[in-house]
Amino acid sequence: MAKTRALQWQKIPVSLAELCLDTTLRCGQSFRWRKSEDDIWSCALHGRILSLRQDSTHLHYKAMYPENAQVPLTPPSSAPKSTGASSLEEDDTEALVHHYLNLGPDLMELYEQWSTADANFKRKATKFTGVRVLKQDAWEALIGFICSSNNNILRISQMMEKLCLHYGPEVGHVGAKTFHDMPAPSALTAPGVEAHLRQLGFGYRAKYLHQTAVMVAEEHGDGWLDGLGNPESPILGAKPSYAGEMLPGGREGYRRAHEGLMALQGVGPKVADCVCLMGLGWGEAVPVDTHGMISHSSLCIVFTDDANQVWQIAQRDYKFGKGKHSSLTKATYDAVGDKFRSLWGKEAGWAHSVLFTADLKAFSERLTSKVEVKELKEEAETKVLTEIQVTAEVLTPISAKREIEDEEKPLIAVEEVIATRPVKRRRKA
């Protein structure tokens, strides 16, 4: 187990309206953050374990570096190489926190702009303040969203943890929890990686991850992936520059990045847009899911892919799903993105993410009821007493194995709260 050296807690003044850490880190953007019992979020990031916590007025952060201080940046793509040792001498954690959490824009001002442009946003999303689009490393975003195909947040997080555990460098530990950083693309290029990932439960995604790593590391080479990024929102340490004119379909650089990502294995339009938005800084990217709706079977909710809510929002609130846009074809996919871009401009992806989070939060907090009826026979001629057991299903995911294509779907853990009351019912003739 690697030894670590911890720096002291530092703080940045930021209100909950400008950043809600719990919402931002849980809404399906990043899948490697872990929350402790004392409400501290931690993740191995850029050669250190970064820990975050928040109160009503400040964001608190702390970095823990490996004692040998030889862990490289995440990921070692086109970013300048550095080690934990240099970072200890000139700690850049505050800059990293500002960059990663995208703290530059005035979020309340953006909310006001989006609300002015769209009555639906004003009605539904302004209650969910503090939602920020992260500035993740493009490689991590790419791998995370390839894993997201037909998947859910819990299982994607488990996959990312396994990937880092088996292929990423160990950075250190917090308590009994060991943290590993993201593996570089080259770490996933060996011939046996695909088979090993299948053994670890990645299913068909194992092939995509291996082949994409080969394409990024060997065919395209260093710097290609980061080179697809928005120059107005560059990687940590780089200076921003003009990204071109905003068009109905997005800036030229965004369209070029989307096309380049689509050439990789396991990357469709939605995954490409997720990476563009959350890994490459293209704020106009609007990911829309092309899979089916959330399914219900035997009153047990089974999550398929949370991001299909974007298509549901487009149908329910923006009149898609009728006429020439009755199904989610490529033309409809583009039309949904164009509609949101016409409302919210360069940050359409951010605004739609707030709407998505508001929808997701409302869904996750809803209690569904499963009614089990037990008949208690009585000899009375006028009624039969029925015991109704109302079971509140608390939405806590647990894994359940399927036999198809090595896939798993999470079921819902059930906490039972039983209430009994008599109900009159006519006796059968």
Side-chain angles (χ1 to χ4, degrees), residues 359-424:
D359 231 43
L360 182 66
K361 186 176 180 66
F363 176 78
S364 66
E365 289 185 349
R366 185 181 66 198
L367 293 180
T368 60
S369 294
K370 179 174 65 177
V371 178
E372 297 178 356
V373 178
K374 294 182 179 180
E375 293 189 358
L376 301 178
K377 294 181 180 179
E378 280 195 358
E379 295 181 358
E381 295 182 357
T382 58
K383 66 179 180 180
V384 174
L385 186 66
T386 302
E387 181 184 63
I388 299 181
Q389 294 180 315
V390 181
T391 304
E393 294 184 342
V394 180
L395 302 183
T396 305
I398 58 175
S399 60
K401 292 185 178 180
R402 295 179 63 204
E403 296 181 355
I404 302 175
E405 294 183 342
D406 300 323
E407 292 305 300
E408 296 179 353
K409 296 287 183 183
L411 298 181
I412 303 302
V414 175
E415 295 181 7
E416 295 189 352
V417 181
I418 300 176
T420 304
R421 66 179 184 270
V423 176
K424 290 184 178 181

Side-chain angles (χ1 to χ4, degrees), residues 245-292:
E245 180 185 1
M246 182 65 184
L247 303 172
R251 287 164 287 189
E252 182 180 347
Y254 157 63
R255 304 307 308 174
R256 184 168 58 249
H258 193 271
E259 182 180 352
L261 292 169
M262 288 273 288
L264 300 174
Q265 293 296 312
V267 178
K270 186 206 74 176
V271 170
D273 270 328
C274 287
V275 178
C276 281
L277 176 64
M278 294 169 243
L280 293 172
W282 293 107
E284 65 262 50
V286 180
V288 183
D289 187 68
T290 56
H291 299 295

Side-chain angles (χ1 to χ4, degrees), residues 349-361:
W350 192 339
H352 114 272
S353 295
V354 176
L355 273 183
F356 162 70
T357 303
D359 231 43
L360 182 66
K361 186 176 180 66

